[in-house]
Amino acid sequence: MRVIATAGHVDHGKSSLLRALTGMEPDRWAEERRRGLTIDLGFVWTGTPEMAFVDVPGHERFVTNMLTGVAAVPAVLFVVAADGGWQAQSQEHLEVIDALGIRHGVLAVTRSDLADPEPAMREAAGRLARSSLGPVESVAVSAVTGQGLSGLREALGRLAAAIPAGEPDADVRLWVDRAFTVDGRGVVVTGTLGAGTIRVSDTFEATRAGEPVYVRGLHSLQVARQELAGPARVAVNLRGRAASGLRRGDALVTPGRWLAVEETDVRLTGRPEPERPLPERLVWHIGSAAVPARIRPLSQDSARITLARPLPLRLGDRALLRDPGSGAICGVTVLDVRPPALRRRGAARERATELAQFDGVPDGAAELRRRGLVRRDELLAMGAAPPGPPVAGDWLADPAHWSALRERLVRLVAEHTAASPSDPGLGAEELRQALDLPDRALVTALAEGTALHRVRGRLAAAPAVLAAPLRTAVAVVRSELDRSPFRAPDADRLTALGLDTAALAAAEQAGELVRLAPGVVLLPDAPGKAVSVLAGLPQPFTAAEAREALSTSRRVAIPLLEYLDRAGRTRRVDDTHRVIIR
């Protein structure tokens, strides 16, 4: 299905043309039919090719309704009357279309039975060609005589074929343009589904309430469906506590895949008088939403926008800012949905310089370069594809930033080791804070592949080379432990070898020994060997049974068992017994 909105000045025959094309009445209200004036949105369609039309009001008093109808569609049927020519709302509607970046359209010059259509067609086609629409097919028609209708249908068929297909696997964002209650069925909302797929029994989030709603039924063009992919006009029957509060301007979104955005940096386009400052208070229009907004200009073509309520926005979204007083409109392209705070003097100027490099096209690698670290799901919710796999958990990292963090980590640990050789190292939380990281798991991932090693659960740097006398003494201890792995040298033996507390710390940091307690050292592989021996005991076992199995003393057995407890290799079951954790 292709969805097309009408555009054009009031009383130029948009609704009459749709009646002639589809045989359906687009004006839903009795007052509209009585006055011959479209006030709100109308919806009609054709079967072959399958095209849905959103009929928008052309009167200046109903421009907000017009924006609701046109903002979510990819194409327009632009209508100009042969006997009226280009008018004020023709221009305003074209400015809206241009600001939204709509690129597909057909020009219909109506009432060609009342006046020569060529002058109006020539002027309108020239104006449309200078907008985002570019050159479009033009057809002279008369809804009264039927002249040109077959040619218009053919032009609309070619337009439908040129509109890009939707992405059925995309995340859903359905802007609600109508919400009403049906007896026996409950709440129904309608809207234009641009991409993604809606299925009966799906769960969506109602953005204003922040609560789930559930799809009870689904219709399109008055036909019941089990599922429907965009682009399409859809009517969704919903259940759930939040359903009754839905109204125009709300959105249904795929849960967990959209950010609730209150502050965004944007590029401004199509300002009628760019040299004049914008009013501080404007209205932000996107989809069917019209939300009060405060603007902070950063440069002539960039600004920080603060919205009165959060909206589901993504990088590259096109929206409008409208001054309710003057009616002036400018387009915006969303550049950043998680912008940095502007607290320092000169921060706004620096931000403007940075935004000048943004092109408004979602780019996962570029976002990662700017942010350094970001969760994968958050990047997807921004609308950008992850450029590579996570470095830890669901954390993505820019390669250059990750390399710089790793260098800082190694330097911090090395400086600590040099300053405090008797200290076992730095803990993950200390390093997380020092590096300003959001998650301890990143510290562990950064340490992988470096020369750092763990000492009692902390990261330490090994000295480049142990001094010769220390190296000799440690070699003696290692030789003795090779023969009796669990008979740690006593204090007298360590003193005789010149191994004081600082020397043992240096040996541990070098990975030569492991300290179980002050003055109690074993080889680094001794804890693993102890687990293998203790696993052969009847479970659970006592400290005395462990001491006997390891052929060691209580002085060594108790700190070794406590070391294994901390490492998660053994577990106490009561005051005297432990078991091996397999």
Side-chain angles (χ1 to χ4, degrees):
M1 183 191 307
R2 296 295 183 262
V3 184
I4 301 167
T6 60
H9 190 73
V10 63
D11 201 31
H12 275 210
K14 297 186 293 298
S15 299
S16 297
L17 183 59
L18 291 184
R19 285 188 206 99
L21 281 170
T22 67
M24 303 175 68
E25 175 56 67
D27 288 335
R28 296 181 290 114
W29 297 4
E31 182 183 357
E32 292 180 305
R33 293 191 289 273
R34 179 178 61 80
R35 296 171 59 185
L37 175 70
T38 300
I39 297 172
D40 203 358
L41 304 179
F43 309 97
V44 294
W45 56 89
T46 62
T48 307
E50 197 172 51
M51 289 183 288
F53 295 92
V54 181
D55 190 27
V56 307
H59 198 286
E60 61 182 335
R61 284 186 293 152
F62 308 120
V63 67
T64 297
N65 290 345
M66 180 271 175
L67 292 172
T68 296
V70 77
V73 302
V76 293
L77 172 58
F78 206 103
V79 176
V80 177
D83 61 341
W86 195 261
Q87 298 289 328
Q89 260 55 59
S90 306
Q91 183 61 34
E92 183 173 26
H93 285 199
L94 182 59
E95 289 172 1
V96 167
I97 290 164
D98 189 47
L100 290 171
I102 297 174
R103 299 185 178 279
H104 302 277
V106 166
L107 170 63
V109 178
T110 56
R111 301 182 187 171
S112 60
D113 57 320
L114 301 179
D116 179 3
E118 285 303 319
M121 182 180 293
R122 192 163 45 250
E123 179 181 10
R127 289 178 181 268
L128 267 58
R130 294 190 292 273
S131 74
S132 62
L133 290 171
V136 300
E137 277 200 71
S138 304
V139 183
V141 295
S142 169
V144 174
T145 68
Q147 173 192 345
L149 287 179
S150 61
L152 179 57
R153 290 190 180 96
E154 291 172 1
L156 288 169
R158 288 187 289 272
L159 173 65
I163 299 172
E167 300 176 42
D169 297 329
D171 300 324
V172 168
R173 177 177 58 180
L174 178 68
W175 294 104
V176 174
D177 53 38
R178 280 197 300 160
F180 50 92
T181 302
V182 176
D183 290 343
R185 298 296 295 173
V187 174
V188 175
V189 301
T190 68
T192 299
L193 178 65
T197 301
I198 297 178
R199 300 175 179 84
V200 173
S201 78
D202 274 351
T203 300
F204 292 102
E205 180 187 345
T207 54
R208 192 191 301 258
E211 295 182 16
V213 291
Y214 311 94
V215 178
R216 182 180 181 182
L218 183 64
H219 281 72
S220 182
L221 312 188
Q222 295 186 346
V223 177
R225 317 276 182 136
Q226 284 299 304
E227 68 175 60
L228 194 67
R233 283 294 302 175
V234 297
V236 190
N237 183 201
L238 298 169
R239 62 182 178 85
R241 187 173 65 176
S244 60
L246 288 168
R247 55 188 184 273
R248 177 176 288 181
D250 288 341
L252 305 182
V253 299
T254 304
R257 300 306 295 267
W258 293 84
L259 300 179
V261 178
E262 286 186 86
E263 199 169 55
T264 176
D265 285 348
V266 302
R267 174 154 295 124
L268 306 172
T269 57
R271 290 176 60 187
E273 298 178 273
E275 68 284 350
R276 293 185 60 182
L278 289 165
E280 183 183 1
R281 303 285 177 173
L282 297 165
V283 179
W284 173 283
H285 293 268
I286 186 169
S288 60
V291 177
R294 189 174 71 251
I295 183 168
R296 178 181 178 180
L298 300 174
S299 68
Q300 196 172 72
D301 69 348
S302 64
R304 170 72 50 93
I305 305 294
T306 303
L307 301 169
R309 67 177 174 90
L311 292 176
L313 303 179
R314 282 189 170 175
L315 301 172
D317 273 346
R318 299 292 292 266
L320 295 174
L321 286 171
R322 184 171 183 267
D323 179 7
S326 68
I329 288 172
C330 74
V332 299
T333 300
V334 174
L335 301 179
D336 196 339
V337 290
R338 284 289 185 264
L342 302 176
R343 297 193 181 97
R344 316 182 273 104
R345 182 186 296 275
R349 184 171 57 255
E350 292 175 8
R351 182 60 173 164
T353 301
E354 184 180 14
L355 291 174
Q357 309 304 313
F358 289 28
D359 60 9
V361 178
D363 183 335
E367 285 302 312
L368 206 48
R369 279 195 300 274
R370 286 192 280 269
R371 300 172 192 280
L373 293 166
V374 66
R375 289 189 181 277
R376 183 178 184 277
D377 284 350
E378 184 170 13
L379 189 64
L380 285 167
M382 291 178 187
V391 294
D394 65 344
W395 286 103
L396 301 167
D398 171 60
H401 182 64
W402 189 248
S403 179
L405 284 172
R406 178 168 279 147
E407 289 177 7
R408 286 180 59 201
L409 173 75
V410 171
R411 184 170 65 254
L412 284 170
V413 174
E415 288 171 351
H416 178 83
T417 298
S420 308
S422 62
D423 194 308
L426 290 171
E429 179 58 21
E430 293 173 274
L431 289 165
R432 185 196 70 77
Q433 293 184 29
L435 295 171
D436 194 25
L437 295 174
D439 193 328
R440 287 190 200 178
L442 294 166
V443 175
T444 301
L446 282 168
E448 292 176 4
T450 69
L452 303 179
H453 61 278
R454 291 194 171 276
V455 179
R456 302 186 203 174
R458 298 161 73 85
L459 285 173
V465 180
L466 291 175
L470 177 56
R471 195 164 61 249
T472 300
V474 169
V476 171
V477 172
R478 287 181 61 87
S479 176
E480 293 173 358
L481 289 171
D482 278 337
R483 294 190 294 272
S484 302
F486 305 109
R487 290 187 177 275
D490 59 22
D492 290 341
R493 178 60 174 154
L494 292 173
T495 299
L497 291 169
L499 294 174
D500 58 12
T501 300
L504 291 175
E508 185 177 39
Q509 289 162 4
E512 298 288 336
L513 299 172
V514 61
R515 289 185 296 171
L516 305 179
V520 181
V521 296
L522 296 177
L523 294 177
D525 63 353
K529 289 182 177 179
V531 170
S532 298
V533 172
L534 298 176
L537 293 175
Q539 307 289 310
F541 57 86
T542 65
E545 291 169 336
R547 176 182 59 76
E548 185 175 349
L550 296 172
S551 301
T552 189
S553 64
R554 180 178 175 80
R555 179 181 72 88
V556 176
I558 296 302
L560 176 56
L561 290 171
E562 291 174 346
Y563 180 95
L564 294 176
D565 290 344
R566 292 193 301 272
R569 307 299 299 276
T570 56
R571 176 172 56 82
R572 283 182 176 272
V573 294
D574 55 37
D575 288 344
T576 58
H577 292 83
R578 287 178 172 83
V579 293
I580 293 294
I581 299 176
R582 300 182 183 275

